[in-house]
Amino acid sequence: MSATLKDVAKLAKVAPSTVSGVLNGTTRVKPETRRRIMQAVEELNYRPNHLARSLRTQGTRTLGLVIPSITNPFYPALARGVEDTANAYGYSVLLSNTDRAPDKEQQYIETLIDKRVDGLILVDSMVPDSLIQEIAQTPNLAIVMMNRGIDSPNVDEIWVDFRNAAIQMTEHLIEAGHHRIAFLAGPRNIWRAEERLLGYQEALSRHKLELDKSLIKYGKFDYESGYELGRELLAQGDDFTAVFASNDLMAIGCMTALQDSGIPIPHDVSVVGFDDIDLAFFVRPKLSTVYQPNYEMGTAAVRLIMERIRQERNVKTRQELTSRLVMRESMIPHRSPDG
Amino acid sequence: MSATLKDVAKLAKVAPSTVSGVLNGTTRVKPETRRRIMQAVEELNYRPNHLARSLRTQGTRTLGLVIPSITNPFYPALARGVEDTANAYGYSVLLSNTDRAPDKEQQYIETLIDKRVDGLILVDSMVPDSLIQEIAQTPNLAIVMMNRGIDSPNVDEIWVDFRNAAIQMTEHLIEAGHHRIAFLAGPRNIWRAEERLLGYQEALSRHKLELDKSLIKYGKFDYESGYELGRELLAQGDDFTAVFASNDLMAIGCMTALQDSGIPIPHDVSVVGFDDIDLAFFVRPKLSTVYQPNYEMGTAAVRLIMERIRQERNVKTRQELTSRLVMRESMIPHRSPDG
DNA sequence: TTGTAGGCGTTATCAA
DNA sequence: TTGATAACGCCTACAA
């Protein structure tokens, strides 16, 4: 139904290749010819067929974004960063939610490649290294992984320095007099969770504080496990003065559990989180946490992809973005009883 | 680099068209031939090129989703509903954020059409009717609009019965003894905002309650304006006993303003919202609000598109999904002082 | 300055 | 049961 290059050519009485050349600015024609062509384009309301173009040029101007779930408050800003930047470069983005299921992720990746995306952004990927290394061979495909290392010269990496951020937050707590700090860890085997735990431990050891394993609890990064863990901590009858949850949802869950037991926060116990999701600002007391540059992660990823596509760079790059502490109301210095 | 149909054909010693037929199940061949083909496919790790296929078949198995912003807590669930359902049908989804800017939206729509998406889901669209009517002529394109009517037989519609929900919530308040209910309206000229206001007015009139314009305040659907409006209400020295905000962000902002002025909620004033975003569950008191079936909106949209694509239906459909009240802690019955 | 021809990787039609 | 052939709409040498 819609007009093709051929139609335009016929109407303008020139060859299709001439029209193509003019429209893409690769051919110089005399003004009169150009005028006729433009008029025909206008008249037929011609719009190039991207499919045909892509088939020919081996480029789709489309990127694939693969995330655990857009529903997780951590990702919308990132997705927005990706989409905005892609759009600025004239690219579109295809969205995929994997739910952290390796099979599902693999399927999405394959579909995306079959659809010939020019770039692939894998966030918190769960597929085996071997698969990544295999797809890294795909021609005309730039890949960047977020928060995951991979031994391949063709794949770029973007990281957030979770460990350092965890160290900073822990030290902040320590320096404020908290020496018995409970830690709510995330699921084992998830890198973003493990780094936070490592940071906590590192800070403790730097300050020569004993690591009490009974103060470390493992949760599932959700509100419920935070609540659960808060109750466990209470049940232990421990003397902790602060809890550092490795994400905000757990921090809020824990805070609620403590509050439900009549423990005033931050007066009796300080609680801090990690991620700085919107919620952190709305709970009472406002949650002190670690801000993640999510939007910037997205923009950075697209930029790395563009450098590859435009062949401005062909060596592996590893970029590290930094988080920063945002202290609100849920944490105050600890005064020892005998202080 | 990657193998094509031709390569497979050569290796299996058959014609490309035969391979195509077998792979698509449109051609019957004898077992032996089939075996050879499958083996060649395996050996070369052949994957069909969707671009070429799409060019030929006029179908991309891709949908375009156009929303104001994925960053707005209202849309991730919807997007997830769209993506999940699309995926179940073997479709991918292209994401676009318009920021409610008509020009930007138009550009996205055009790009999406140029990329030959099979379906377009326009959420809270801001472009003029004429544009929609124009693109509704595009062949091989199914369009559904969410929360916006359009006079075109080719475009399906999905609505949430905002007005009814607002009526219900208001009546709930009235029946609980609240007769002076302040209303925080959204931006004028935005349908989803206006319907809510209309519902509020309708309920008042049904119960023969006077409509006091000084109790109606216009905000911008964000936390800040809710806070602002809360302060305004207070400054007026009015005797309202409840406030109905037309979205949760404003409700929470207002609640915070009241609390900051030392007014206990819900004891002195009840506050209710609209949308049931995640936040609603986490603020204290937990916000009573109107739940929106966002995820279901997404799935419904894709289903309508699929019906069109598969030609199971070719008449316009208008589907209405229903919200429901979710009462938590921020509202209690009002006892009149002399009661 | 403009046109011709071939091909990108499929699928559909028709013959053999 | 299989194969040849012609599109789909575009781009890019190369030729004129």
Side-chain angles (χ1 to χ4, degrees), chain B residues 64-217:
Chain B
L65 172 62
V66 180
I67 57 178
S69 175
I70 192 64
T71 267
N72 180 327
F74 188 77
Y75 301 106
L78 190 155
R80 186 70 212 256
V82 168
E83 204 276 306
D84 281 358
T85 316
N87 185 240
Y89 280 101
Y91 282 66
S92 309
V93 6
L94 240 15
L95 178 72
S96 315
N97 301 288
T98 68
D99 290 322
R100 295 187 200 278
D103 304 6
K104 208 172 165 195
E105 185 180 347
Q106 175 165 0
Q107 282 202 341
Y108 272 115
I109 291 175
E110 284 169 355
T111 304
L112 257 12
I113 292 179
D114 288 349
K115 292 206 169 167
R116 296 299 194 269
V117 292
D118 298 335
L120 212 41
I121 299 172
L122 270 21
V123 184
D124 297 339
S125 172
M126 302 286 284
V127 298
D129 281 13
S130 56
L131 178 67
I132 307 285
Q133 267 141 356
E134 193 185 320
I135 65 174
Q137 305 304 321
T138 314
N140 301 314
L141 177 65
I143 305 177
V144 8
M145 308 212 54
M146 294 198 10
N147 297 330
R148 151 94 111 101
I150 181 74
D151 184 16
S152 164
N154 302 322
V155 178
D156 296 321
E157 300 171 14
I158 295 188
W159 300 74
V160 179
D161 62 338
F162 291 132
R163 187 177 321 187
N164 242 310
I167 291 177
Q168 276 182 52
M169 181 58 103
T170 311
E171 292 195 317
H172 187 84
L173 252 17
I174 295 172
E175 285 156 12
H178 293 282
H179 290 182
R180 296 279 298 164
I181 305 168
F183 188 83
L184 269 34
R188 297 164 213 254
N189 301 325
I190 287 192
W191 177 82
R192 64 189 318 121
E194 286 178 341
E195 286 293 300
R196 294 166 195 197
L197 175 54
L198 255 22
Y200 162 78
Q201 293 172 331
E202 167 74 17
L204 250 41
S205 102
R206 280 192 197 169
H207 288 259
K208 310 217 184 315
L209 287 175
E210 177 203 6
L211 180 72
D212 181 349
K213 289 206 171 157
S214 70
L215 286 182
I216 298 181
K217 300 281 176 190

Side-chain angles (χ1 to χ4, degrees), chain A residues 260-293:
Chain A
D260 285 358
S261 292
I263 297 176
I265 293 172
H267 189 272
D268 282 18
V269 176
S270 288
V271 176
V272 298
F274 209 112
D275 283 350
D276 195 22
I277 58 180
D278 287 346
L279 237 55
F281 182 83
F282 292 102
V283 290
R284 290 306 159 91
K286 292 181 183 169
L287 188 67
S288 293
T289 182
V290 180
Y291 166 79
Q292 309 278 1

Side-chain angles (χ1 to χ4, degrees), chain A residues 16-230:
Chain A
S17 58
T18 308
V19 179
S20 171
V22 170
L23 259 31
N24 294 310
T26 49
T27 304
R28 275 219 129 41
V29 294
K30 56 170 125 166
E32 161 59 10
T33 315
R34 176 190 192 75
R35 203 193 50 69
R36 284 213 318 280
I37 291 177
M38 286 326 211
Q39 188 178 333
V41 164
E42 190 74 11
E43 203 160 314
L44 297 173
N45 190 18
Y46 169 74
R47 315 229 73 207
N49 182 327
H50 279 228
L51 285 176
R53 175 181 297 176
S54 295
L55 184 57
R56 197 40 242 249
T57 61
Q58 310 272 29
T60 52
R61 296 199 158 255
T62 301
L63 267 28
L65 173 61
V66 180
I67 57 178
S69 176
I70 193 66
T71 267
N72 180 326
F74 188 78
Y75 302 105
L78 190 156
R80 185 72 213 252
V82 167
E83 204 276 305
D84 282 358
T85 315
N87 184 240
Y89 280 101
Y91 282 66
S92 309
V93 4
L94 240 15
L95 178 70
S96 316
N97 300 290
T98 67
D99 290 321
R100 295 188 200 278
D103 304 5
K104 207 172 166 195
E105 184 180 347
Q106 175 165 0
Q107 283 202 340
Y108 272 116
I109 291 175
E110 284 169 357
T111 303
L112 258 11
I113 292 179
D114 288 348
K115 292 205 170 168
R116 296 300 193 270
V117 293
D118 297 336
L120 211 42
I121 299 172
L122 270 21
V123 184
D124 297 339
S125 172
M126 303 286 284
V127 298
D129 281 14
S130 56
L131 178 67
I132 307 285
Q133 267 141 357
E134 193 185 319
I135 65 175
Q137 305 304 320
T138 313
N140 301 314
L141 176 65
I143 305 178
V144 8
M145 307 212 56
M146 293 197 10
N147 297 329
R148 156 111 182 248
I150 181 75
D151 185 15
S152 164
N154 301 322
V155 178
D156 297 322
E157 300 171 15
I158 295 187
W159 300 74
V160 179
D161 63 340
F162 291 132
R163 189 179 318 189
N164 242 310
I167 292 177
Q168 275 181 53
M169 181 58 103
T170 310
E171 291 195 317
H172 188 83
L173 252 18
I174 294 172
E175 284 156 11
H178 294 281
H179 290 183
R180 297 277 299 165
I181 306 168
F183 188 83
L184 269 34
R188 297 164 213 252
N189 301 325
I190 288 193
W191 176 82
R192 63 190 317 121
E194 285 178 342
E195 285 293 299
R196 294 166 194 198
L197 176 54
L198 256 21
Y200 162 78
Q201 292 171 332
E202 166 75 17
L204 251 40
S205 101
R206 279 193 198 169
H207 289 259
K208 310 216 184 317
L209 288 174
E210 178 203 5
L211 180 72
D212 182 348
K213 288 205 172 160
S214 71
L215 287 181
I216 299 181
K217 301 278 176 192
Y218 290 84
K220 288 186 269 185
F221 267 172
D222 59 4
Y223 175 84
E224 285 71 22
S225 49
Y227 193 92
E228 200 64 32
L229 266 24

